[in-house]
Amino acid sequence: MSEPIPSNEESQKCKLCVTVRRSVLNFFKPRRPTADNLLFWYAPVVGGVSYSAFSIHIFKPEVLESLFPRSKYAVANCLLFNAHVGCGLYLYNSRHLSAATRYYRVMYSVYGALLFNFGSILLWAVTKSILPEDSIVRTVFSLSSSICMLVIGREYVGYVDGWCSKQKS
């Protein structure tokens, strides 16, 4: 007996699942440690992890206090710095900035990284006052919001890169 033929909507869902699975597996596939991969793949990944860790620090500063009692501010500043560097290098390597001179690529990348990170900090500071004092709620919100912002930022840069590629052809 043959399998039922999936409807068009079901086949679209299957294609979406396959696409998402491939992109997730491709994203987490280790890369050879070349200079370009270290700067433009590993550094943005470390920046994303630092960004998420910094979001937890905004909502639950006692986490860093318990892990690093003497240097909690230095660790928090390093997390923020890594987030800036990772975001900036990701933007610097984007296709839509490839035609710009080095000066403008650096300027736009620094601007984009600062806007993204400090905009997120402003969002977290405002929502911190709204959320209940429950540590689980705050931790889940901080992680989910940081991951959501990273995914949306990556999708946005991909969209702009694609749009620019269409304009050139």
Side-chain angles (χ1 to χ4, degrees), residues 42-135:
Y42 284 107
V45 168
V46 169
V49 172
S50 296
Y51 175 80
S52 294
F54 190 76
S55 73
I56 292 173
H57 168 68
I58 295 292
F59 283 93
K60 298 294 293 170
E62 54 271 9
V63 171
L64 280 184
E65 230 173 272
S66 66
L67 293 174
F68 308 99
R70 291 183 176 204
S71 55
K72 65 179 179 182
Y73 295 117
V75 172
N77 288 334
C78 285
L79 290 174
L80 183 58
F81 179 75
N82 285 342
H84 286 309
V85 169
C87 184
L89 286 172
Y90 182 76
L91 289 173
Y92 183 86
N93 195 44
S94 62
R95 280 179 281 162
H96 70 275
L97 290 180
S98 63
T101 64
R102 181 175 290 156
Y103 173 80
Y104 283 105
R105 283 177 84 178
V106 169
M107 183 175 64
Y108 296 148
S109 300
V110 168
Y111 178 76
L114 291 173
L115 196 62
F116 178 77
N117 287 305
F118 285 123
S120 298
I121 292 170
L122 179 62
L123 172 73
W124 294 328
V126 170
T127 55
K128 181 179 178 180
S129 65
I130 298 170
L131 288 175
E133 291 289 326
D134 186 14
S135 64

